[in-house]
Amino acid sequence: MHGIALIGAGRIGRIHAANIAANSRLKLVSVVDPTDAAAELASQYGANVATVDEVLADPAIHGVVIASSTDTHLDYSLAAAQAGKTVFCEKPLDQDLERARGAGDALAAIGAQVFLAFNRRFDANFAALQARLKAGEVGALETLHIISHDPAPPPATYVATSGGIFKDMVIHDFDMARWLLDEPVTEVFSTSSVLIDPEIGKAGDVDTAKTILKTASGKICVISSSRRSGYGYDQRIEAYGSKGMIRAQNQLESTVETWGEGGASADRFQNFFLDRYAVAYAREIAHFADILDGAAPLIDQVDGIAALELAEAAQKSATEGVIVRF
Amino acid sequence: MHGIALIGAGRIGRIHAANIAANSRLKLVSVVDPTDAAAELASQYGANVATVDEVLADPAIHGVVIASSTDTHLDYSLAAAQAGKTVFCEKPLDQDLERARGAGDALAAIGAQVFLAFNRRFDANFAALQARLKAGEVGALETLHIISHDPAPPPATYVATSGGIFKDMVIHDFDMARWLLDEPVTEVFSTSSVLIDPEIGKAGDVDTAKTILKTASGKICVISSSRRSGYGYDQRIEAYGSKGMIRAQNQLESTVETWGEGGASADRFQNFFLDRYAVAYAREIAHFADILDGAAPLIDQVDGIAALELAEAAQKSATEGVIVRF
Amino acid sequence: MHGIALIGAGRIGRIHAANIAANSRLKLVSVVDPTDAAAELASQYGANVATVDEVLADPAIHGVVIASSTDTHLDYSLAAAQAGKTVFCEKPLDQDLERARGAGDALAAIGAQVFLAFNRRFDANFAALQARLKAGEVGALETLHIISHDPAPPPATYVATSGGIFKDMVIHDFDMARWLLDEPVTEVFSTSSVLIDPEIGKAGDVDTAKTILKTASGKICVISSSRRSGYGYDQRIEAYGSKGMIRAQNQLESTVETWGEGGASADRFQNFFLDRYAVAYAREIAHFADILDGAAPLIDQVDGIAALELAEAAQKSATEGVIVRF
Amino acid sequence: MHGIALIGAGRIGRIHAANIAANSRLKLVSVVDPTDAAAELASQYGANVATVDEVLADPAIHGVVIASSTDTHLDYSLAAAQAGKTVFCEKPLDQDLERARGAGDALAAIGAQVFLAFNRRFDANFAALQARLKAGEVGALETLHIISHDPAPPPATYVATSGGIFKDMVIHDFDMARWLLDEPVTEVFSTSSVLIDPEIGKAGDVDTAKTILKTASGKICVISSSRRSGYGYDQRIEAYGSKGMIRAQNQLESTVETWGEGGASADRFQNFFLDRYAVAYAREIAHFADILDGAAPLIDQVDGIAALELAEAAQKSATEGVIVRF
């Protein structure tokens, strides 16, 4: 059993704590959080409350799960890696590309083991889509559509410090695109609008965007982004290959349908990421156990930096009205 | 081109007239009907108005399509066959099993060519299901579910002369069951209720029934019958085989879906038989052209009699509360 | 927190143990099992190994979860109830109707709190269907189709001691039918075949059955049972009401579809009950916590006996070729 | 009844002839074609063979359906309009934007009634989507996805004279986008690749493209174009509004599904435009009858020119790597 410390006992930290406890290969040893949430979470799972320094000095702790605020991700990752811990770092690596690159170099220099937690790669649907694509089930991939619409927009106050829609939200889709395209992106075009909430516009951000990525061999990916769908959490991928198409649809609350005079109605989508990606979060933690057992991380800081590069390029394209080429 | 006479210019007669006109191998020569509908239909398609006697005596007429009232089906079929015409007879052959058997013998004695028009065998969905089943796509057939619910009940006045739900409505499903089971039925159980309209009960009929047919080898078929669905015309079949299942679903008015907060809603079903089986009616007429070209009828009076036997058995089972064995 | 003892550390016992541990209102105190599985399970969740007598005498134990072999269900339930414990009893109550009735009387006499664990009522799909039906979303229920086909047949050796398909497998569907029909069944007809494995026939059982239940008011329920589907675990319900239809479909492994020249293909169904009902098992345990908190059991021994009565009636109908009326 | 002349007896001309004959408000009077196909088609429907001059001089002809080669569309439309005929002109109006604009001015000057036959607006699915959108069923339209993938690429020889993918194929989608967006497009970006057939590239064209249109108010439309899908004719639209989403899915050959160990498989899509849009072609002709009865054309030369403008802009964007702004 690998001893684990959790830094951050907020909404996502609680999910990781439950999944760590349920995993027979891991043991939650310490919880770090400046609030009472630390003690609460620690007592529920028989763990200790600790400081970051105590965690880093504790030889019983092999892995550190960083689920604190975004601005702490880089520092804690570096510190944990320097202390010889295996790192699970929530996305994004950072909002600042230059800082992220610097930290990436430092992590590489010390041979750190960092798992960057882009949870969607662990969704059973997207993972199955990727596996079938990789297996050539529809021939060579040609184009890709990623649809990622949130159910409802965040408050404009959140938006103001979020880093913008591309770094905050589309970053997931850039990682997904990179994973599925499996070759470098050479061209980025994005166009965006404020259609949902004028306050988002006043906060300097947009709420709707369509982005096109193109690779050197001519593969093309479209990403559709919206802060508010009006019909639930819409998370779909369609991958067009030379011999057919693979797509992953949304998961519904139930399989129940009501048929009446007006037609048939299916249940609503799973509400938001905590529901839709509940299983993905558990599979992430299982992958972290694999890494502690010696496996290579499926995603690391290099992927985090690459996604951030695409986010910056898309933001530049949308803001300045230019096509960005690498 | 084969010359055709149409007897009966009512709702279903008009459909056959249009399909005959659109078929390049057939020519509508005469229309017979006691009402003005004959002249109207004849003029639309450049045909003559005629009497039954004139039709039977006309050497230009090779095929007779009988779409008049049910009580005339047997007499016109016999007369047309005796006059050397190929016969297209609307279902049912008759409401009276003994009369139908007698006519069946007479038709057989003169080697008549009679096509009995159970339209559902020509539905593209059910025909595809039957073909795949026959091809062994899911191994040997074991059990069968036929769902056949009308959108809304007929008036009780219609019910009073309809011959009852089994001969009037479920007769289609008995034919479908015989076609798909492909071996003799040896046991019939049916249970029924009046749940929709008490007037139907007062008219001596029922509006809801579930019937089980069993064959000598142990195959089992369930037929679900309702005079009113509340959600459109429900026409489905599920065939369970030793290696899987084939099913035919309902056809919708369109493929349009609306997704909102409450879930997704699909369009309504095609309203009733004139919509759902529009293509089937055209394919029936094409099969009649094949018969005039020399093909054997896919369905004939023997099938009509066999379906009527099952209808009588189910009626007896439901009415007397017994299991009927052959 | 309510202290819980688990009797039986087999396949289903392990599932209950995990769900008890994950439930913040329950604490797994003791595990009873004659094999090494007891110690293994106890150590994983920090519980003790105990005997039944020790469990019954332990004041720290408030609830007893009985997941041992079927022939022990009645005795352990009675003993636990007599010791003042709240009882969670796996289905079926017993294979013998007379014995079950006797125990039912005894349990009633001491005012026992017994939750009989028919897991399917806790499936999110079926529970949603029942709630919508109850809410009148499609008017009054008229007829019901329950489809329950296992993926693959058990070995004939299992069948020999199973009590037969009706008590072993269809018992779930009888409970579901009772729950949804919500009025007493007055008539039972069943017909069955051996179509899958002749060894099942030699063991005195059947592998395929269609059963019809009818209530006093004329509601009709069809249950389709098969020991082997050839296409996965098929668990569906269609409820036909006066204003429409509600149905619960199967859950798939994923929402991924592959589209090729031959059409579109969806993923396979969730494999069997451990997958399909994983969430239902957790919700069962949550309901047990509710009972320990004072709620009335949603299902108790009376329901277990009533389902057994329907199973005996169906078996008699299928075996003797009669309609059974209550 | 309105007398109709058909110019062009090729594949699409034959479809129009059948729909004219089946429409009780229209009568096919003359067929014009330099080949034997004219006589063949005329005899099937009791029409005459004629020259263009004879058609224009014939007072019995009220409407002229132009289904000849693209390079003749403008000249025949103008000549027919000058002769006082109502015009049904197959898409595209022309391959050359300047020529089309000139002809557009000339047609406007004489007050010509020209119906430009973009068939997809008459597809029941897309028409229902447009009607629901217009009715505000999902609030205000925000973004739009149009997917239009052909089943298999045309020969490179066809491509060479086709005018290129944007004018030949995507032109349909530009018209659809204009209809649904319902406000002027101000910005066009397109990126394209040769992924399917290098011969198409050698012919100076591309086979894969993604195009983004943006309007002044910030609505965004994505068009996905491919000359070969590998999975049939893919014709879908998703319209995202402020309160939900409406989408039109593909039509399948049948509703039959086969369920086996590997999952469920649905039937293939309707093969290509002759199948998918069979009903749309008949509804187009019915609309032409409406126009002859006095209705305004739903689509006219102005729409044809506007679609051509978008095609040129997309082609320029894709070829030169620029964003085109109006």
Side-chain angles (χ1 to χ4, degrees):
Chain A
M1 301 239 294
H2 305 286
I4 305 292
L6 171 68
I7 304 181
R11 188 168 57 172
I12 195 70
R14 293 178 165 277
I15 288 169
H16 291 321
N19 287 324
I20 292 163
N23 191 304
S24 62
R25 292 183 286 160
L26 305 178
K27 181 164 181 56
L28 185 64
V29 175
S30 304
V31 178
V32 179
D33 196 284
T35 74
D36 288 349
E40 204 181 304
L41 204 56
S43 102
Q44 185 174 348
Y45 294 105
N48 308 310
V49 175
T51 63
V52 171
D53 286 345
E54 286 165 354
V55 160
L56 298 184
D58 187 344
I61 289 174
H62 310 121
V64 177
V65 173
I66 301 166
S68 43
S69 62
T70 296
D71 58 328
T72 65
H73 288 183
L74 278 184
D75 289 346
Y76 288 159
S77 290
L78 261 172
Q82 279 158 349
K85 312 300 188 193
T86 299
V87 178
F88 175 118
C89 179
E90 262 304 324
K91 55 78 31 186
L93 201 54
D94 198 75
Q95 285 182 11
D96 186 273
L97 182 54
E98 282 319 304
R99 263 176 53 84
R101 281 177 176 151
D105 291 345
L107 288 166
I110 59 173
Q113 282 287 79
V114 177
F115 168 63
L116 190 70
F118 279 119
N119 58 311
R120 294 186 195 171
R121 292 205 199 186
F122 295 88
D123 176 69
N125 306 298
F126 298 153
L129 180 146
Q130 193 266 351
R132 292 188 194 184
L133 205 56
K134 197 92 182 177
E137 216 173 272
V138 292
L141 177 67
E142 292 178 350
T143 74
L144 194 62
H145 290 188
I146 298 176
I147 290 157
S148 182
H149 298 181
D150 280 359
T157 49
Y158 169 86
V159 166
T161 62
S162 70
I165 195 171
F166 295 103
K167 289 183 182 173
D168 179 55
M169 178 182 160
V170 193
I171 191 95
H172 280 292
D173 308 296
F174 290 126
D175 180 65
M176 186 56 69
R178 288 186 64 249
W179 192 37
L180 298 177
L181 288 171
D182 206 19
E183 62 177 48
V185 169
T186 56
E187 190 184 299
V188 177
F189 171 81
S190 188
T191 189
S192 64
S193 297
V194 178
L195 296 173
I196 297 165
D197 183 357
E199 293 302 315
I200 291 177
K202 287 179 196 158
D205 200 4
V206 296
D207 51 36
T208 307
K210 309 278 175 180
T211 305
I212 291 185
L213 311 177
K214 195 173 181 179
T215 70
S217 75
K219 293 189 172 87
I220 308 171
C221 170
V222 177
I223 299 172
S224 178
S225 313
S226 173
R227 284 285 192 184
R228 181 266 297 119
S229 71
Y231 58 91
Y233 192 40
D234 192 356
Q235 299 281 298
R236 287 176 289 148
I237 298 179
E238 306 198 339
Y240 301 91
S242 54
K243 292 177 183 166
M245 193 257 266
I246 307 176
R247 68 172 177 182
Q249 304 272 58
N250 286 301
Q251 291 186 172
L252 308 181
E253 290 286 345
S254 78
T255 65
V256 177
E257 301 166 1
T258 301
W259 299 13
E261 274 303 336
S265 55
D267 208 347
R268 51 167 57 219
F269 299 154
Q270 285 183 336
N271 184 53
F272 207 0
F273 61 94
L274 296 181
D275 293 317
R276 165 63 189 263
Y277 295 119
V279 174
Y281 289 120
R283 295 177 69 206
E284 266 187 350
I285 290 294
H287 179 58
F288 190 51
D290 291 343
I291 296 168
L292 285 156
D293 283 345
L298 178 61
I299 322 169
D300 64 14
Q301 71 275 10
V302 175
D303 298 291
I305 293 164
L308 202 51
E309 282 168 351
L310 293 177
E312 288 226 335
Q315 190 165 22
K316 180 185 170 70
S317 175
T319 308
E320 304 177 14
V322 297
I323 304 165
V324 175
R325 296 190 174 87
F326 293 102
Chain B
M1 301 239 294
H2 305 287
I4 304 294
L6 172 69
I7 304 181
R11 189 169 56 173
I12 195 70
R14 292 178 167 277
I15 288 168
H16 291 321
N19 287 324
I20 293 164
N23 190 303
S24 62
R25 290 182 289 160
L26 305 178
K27 182 167 181 51
L28 185 64
V29 175
S30 303
V31 178
V32 180
D33 196 285
T35 73
D36 288 351
E40 206 181 305
L41 205 55
S43 102
Q44 187 175 347
Y45 295 106
N48 308 310
V49 174
T51 64
V52 171
D53 287 345
E54 286 165 354
V55 159
L56 300 183
D58 186 346
I61 290 173
H62 310 122
V64 178
V65 173
I66 299 167
S68 44
S69 62
T70 296
D71 58 329
T72 65
H73 287 183
L74 277 185
D75 290 347
Y76 288 160
S77 290
L78 261 173
Q82 279 158 347
K85 313 299 190 196
T86 299
V87 177
F88 176 117
C89 180
E90 261 304 322
K91 56 73 39 185
L93 201 54
D94 199 71
Q95 285 183 10
D96 186 272
L97 182 54
E98 282 319 304
R99 264 176 52 84
R101 281 176 176 151
D105 292 345
L107 288 166
I110 60 173
Q113 284 286 79
V114 177
F115 168 64
L116 191 71
F118 279 120
N119 57 310
R120 293 184 197 173
R121 291 207 199 184
F122 295 89
D123 176 69
N125 306 300
F126 298 153
L129 180 146
Q130 192 267 351
R132 291 188 195 185
L133 206 54
K134 197 93 183 176
E137 216 171 274
V138 291
L141 177 67
E142 292 179 350
T143 74
L144 194 63
H145 289 188
I146 299 176
I147 290 156
S148 180
H149 297 180
D150 280 358
T157 50
Y158 169 87
V159 165
T161 62
S162 70
I165 195 171
F166 295 104
K167 290 182 181 175
D168 179 54
M169 180 182 158
V170 194
I171 191 95
H172 279 292
D173 307 297
F174 290 126
D175 179 66
M176 186 56 70
R178 290 187 62 250
W179 191 39
L180 298 177
L181 289 171
D182 206 19
E183 63 178 47
V185 169
T186 55
E187 190 184 300
V188 178
F189 170 79
S190 188
T191 190
S192 64
S193 297
V194 177
L195 295 174
I196 297 165
D197 183 358
E199 294 300 316
I200 291 176
K202 288 180 194 157
D205 200 4
V206 296
D207 52 34
T208 307
K210 308 276 176 182
T211 304
I212 290 186
L213 311 177
K214 195 174 181 180
T215 71
S217 75
K219 293 189 172 85
I220 308 171
C221 171
V222 177
I223 299 172
S224 179
S225 313
S226 174
R227 285 285 193 184
R228 179 269 295 121
S229 70
Y231 57 91
Y233 192 40
D234 192 356
Q235 300 280 298
R236 286 176 292 148
I237 299 178
E238 305 197 340
Y240 301 92
S242 54
K243 292 178 185 165
M245 194 257 266
I246 308 176
R247 71 173 176 180
Q249 305 272 59
N250 287 301
Q251 292 185 171
L252 307 181
E253 290 285 346
S254 79
T255 64
V256 177
E257 301 166 0
T258 300
W259 297 14
E261 273 303 335
S265 55
D267 209 347
R268 50 167 55 219
F269 299 156
Q270 287 185 335
N271 183 52
F272 208 180
F273 61 94
L274 296 181
D275 293 317
R276 166 64 188 262
Y277 295 120
V279 173
Y281 288 121
R283 294 179 68 205
E284 266 188 348
I285 290 294
H287 179 58
F288 191 51
D290 291 343
I291 297 168
L292 284 159
D293 284 344
L298 178 63
I299 321 168
D300 65 15
Q301 71 274 11
V302 175
D303 299 290
I305 293 163
L308 203 51
E309 282 169 349
L310 293 177
E312 287 225 335
Q315 190 165 22
K316 181 184 170 71
S317 175
T319 308
E320 302 177 13
V322 297
I323 303 166
V324 176
R325 296 190 174 84
F326 293 103
Chain C
M1 300 239 296
H2 305 285
I4 304 294
L6 171 69
I7 304 181
R11 188 168 56 172
I12 195 71
R14 293 178 165 278
I15 288 168
H16 291 319
N19 287 323
I20 292 164
N23 191 304
S24 61
R25 292 183 286 161
L26 305 178
K27 179 164 182 55
L28 185 63
V29 174
S30 302
V31 179
V32 181
D33 196 284
T35 73
D36 289 350
E40 204 179 306
L41 205 55
S43 101
Q44 186 173 349
Y45 295 105
N48 308 309
V49 174
T51 65
V52 171
D53 288 344
E54 288 165 352
V55 160
L56 298 183
D58 187 345
I61 290 175
H62 310 120
V64 177
V65 174
I66 301 167
S68 45
S69 63
T70 296
D71 59 328
T72 66
H73 288 183
L74 277 184
D75 290 346
Y76 288 159
S77 291
L78 260 173
Q82 279 157 349
K85 313 299 188 194
T86 299
V87 178
F88 176 118
C89 179
E90 262 303 324
K91 53 76 36 184
L93 202 53
D94 199 74
Q95 284 182 13
D96 185 272
L97 182 55
E98 284 318 305
R99 264 175 52 84
R101 281 177 176 150
D105 292 344
L107 288 167
I110 59 172
Q113 283 285 80
V114 177
F115 168 64
L116 191 71
F118 279 120
N119 58 310
R120 293 185 197 173
R121 292 206 199 185
F122 296 88
D123 176 68
N125 306 300
F126 297 154
L129 181 146
Q130 193 267 350
R132 292 188 194 185
L133 205 54
K134 197 92 181 176
E137 215 173 275
V138 293
L141 178 66
E142 292 179 352
T143 74
L144 194 63
H145 290 188
I146 299 175
I147 291 157
S148 182
H149 298 180
D150 279 359
T157 50
Y158 169 86
V159 166
T161 63
S162 70
I165 193 170
F166 295 103
K167 290 182 182 174
D168 178 55
M169 177 181 160
V170 193
I171 192 91
H172 279 292
D173 307 297
F174 290 127
D175 179 67
M176 186 56 70
R178 290 186 63 250
W179 191 40
L180 298 177
L181 288 171
D182 204 19
E183 63 177 47
V185 169
T186 56
E187 191 183 300
V188 178
F189 170 80
S190 189
T191 190
S192 64
S193 297
V194 178
L195 296 173
I196 298 165
D197 182 358
E199 292 302 316
I200 290 177
K202 286 180 197 158
D205 200 4
V206 295
D207 50 36
T208 307
K210 309 276 176 182
T211 303
I212 290 185
L213 311 177
K214 195 174 182 178
T215 71
S217 75
K219 294 190 172 85
I220 308 170
C221 171
V222 177
I223 299 171
S224 179
S225 313
S226 174
R227 285 287 194 185
R228 179 269 295 121
S229 71
Y231 57 90
Y233 192 40
D234 192 357
Q235 299 281 297
R236 286 177 290 148
I237 299 179
E238 305 197 340
Y240 301 93
S242 54
K243 292 178 184 166
M245 193 257 267
I246 308 176
R247 68 173 176 181
Q249 305 271 60
N250 286 302
Q251 292 185 170
L252 307 182
E253 290 286 346
S254 79
T255 65
V256 177
E257 302 166 0
T258 301
W259 298 14
E261 273 304 337
S265 54
D267 208 346
R268 50 166 57 219
F269 299 155
Q270 285 183 335
N271 184 50
F272 207 179
F273 61 94
L274 296 182
D275 293 316
R276 166 63 188 262
Y277 294 120
V279 174
Y281 289 121
R283 294 179 67 206
E284 267 187 348
I285 290 295
H287 179 58
F288 191 50
D290 292 342
I291 297 168
L292 285 158
D293 283 344
L298 178 63
I299 322 169
D300 65 14
Q301 72 274 11
V302 175
D303 299 291
I305 294 164
L308 203 53
E309 283 168 350
L310 292 177
E312 287 226 336
Q315 190 165 23
K316 180 183 169 71
S317 175
T319 308
E320 302 177 15
V322 297
I323 302 166
V324 176
R325 296 189 174 86
F326 293 103
Chain D
M1 301 239 296
H2 305 286
I4 305 293
L6 171 69
I7 303 181
R11 190 169 57 172
I12 195 69
R14 291 177 166 279
I15 287 168
H16 291 320
N19 287 324
I20 292 165
N23 190 303
S24 61
R25 291 183 286 160
L26 304 178
K27 182 166 179 53
L28 185 63
V29 174
S30 302
V31 178
V32 180
D33 196 284
T35 73
D36 288 350
E40 207 180 303
L41 205 55
S43 101
Q44 187 174 346
Y45 295 105
N48 308 310
V49 173
T51 64
V52 171
D53 287 345
E54 286 165 353
V55 159
L56 298 184
D58 186 347
I61 290 173
H62 310 120
V64 177
V65 173
I66 300 167
S68 43
S69 61
T70 295
D71 58 328
T72 65
H73 287 183
L74 277 185
D75 289 345
Y76 288 160
S77 290
L78 260 174
Q82 279 157 349
K85 313 301 189 193
T86 299
V87 177
F88 177 119
C89 179
E90 262 303 325
K91 56 77 30 186
L93 200 57
D94 199 73
Q95 286 183 9
D96 185 274
L97 182 54
E98 283 318 305
R99 262 176 53 84
R101 281 176 175 152
D105 292 344
L107 289 166
I110 58 172
Q113 283 287 79
V114 177
F115 168 64
L116 190 71
F118 279 119
N119 58 309
R120 292 183 197 174
R121 291 206 200 185
F122 295 88
D123 177 68
N125 306 300
F126 297 152
L129 180 146
Q130 192 267 349
R132 292 189 193 185
L133 205 55
K134 197 93 183 176
E137 216 173 273
V138 292
L141 177 67
E142 292 178 351
T143 74
L144 192 65
H145 290 187
I146 299 175
I147 291 157
S148 181
H149 298 180
D150 280 358
T157 50
Y158 169 87
V159 165
T161 63
S162 69
I165 195 171
F166 295 103
K167 290 183 182 174
D168 179 55
M169 178 182 160
V170 193
I171 191 92
H172 279 292
D173 307 295
F174 290 126
D175 180 66
M176 185 58 69
R178 288 187 64 249
W179 192 39
L180 298 176
L181 288 171
D182 206 21
E183 62 176 49
V185 169
T186 55
E187 191 183 299
V188 178
F189 171 79
S190 188
T191 189
S192 65
S193 296
V194 178
L195 296 172
I196 298 166
D197 183 357
E199 293 301 315
I200 291 177
K202 287 180 195 157
D205 201 4
V206 296
D207 50 36
T208 307
K210 310 277 176 180
T211 304
I212 290 186
L213 310 178
K214 194 174 182 181
T215 71
S217 75
K219 294 189 171 88
I220 308 171
C221 170
V222 177
I223 299 172
S224 179
S225 313
S226 173
R227 286 284 195 186
R228 180 267 296 120
S229 72
Y231 57 91
Y233 191 40
D234 192 356
Q235 299 280 298
R236 288 177 289 148
I237 298 178
E238 307 198 337
Y240 301 92
S242 54
K243 292 177 183 166
M245 193 258 266
I246 307 175
R247 69 173 177 182
Q249 305 270 60
N250 287 303
Q251 293 186 169
L252 307 181
E253 290 286 345
S254 79
T255 65
V256 177
E257 300 166 1
T258 300
W259 297 13
E261 274 303 336
S265 55
D267 208 347
R268 51 166 58 218
F269 301 154
Q270 286 184 335
N271 185 51
F272 207 180
F273 62 94
L274 296 181
D275 293 317
R276 165 64 188 262
Y277 294 118
V279 173
Y281 288 122
R283 294 178 69 204
E284 264 188 349
I285 291 293
H287 179 58
F288 191 50
D290 291 343
I291 296 168
L292 284 158
D293 284 345
L298 178 62
I299 321 169
D300 64 15
Q301 71 275 9
V302 175
D303 299 291
I305 293 164
L308 203 51
E309 282 169 351
L310 292 177
E312 288 225 335
Q315 191 165 23
K316 179 183 171 71
S317 175
T319 309
E320 303 178 13
V322 296
I323 303 166
V324 176
R325 295 190 174 87
F326 293 104

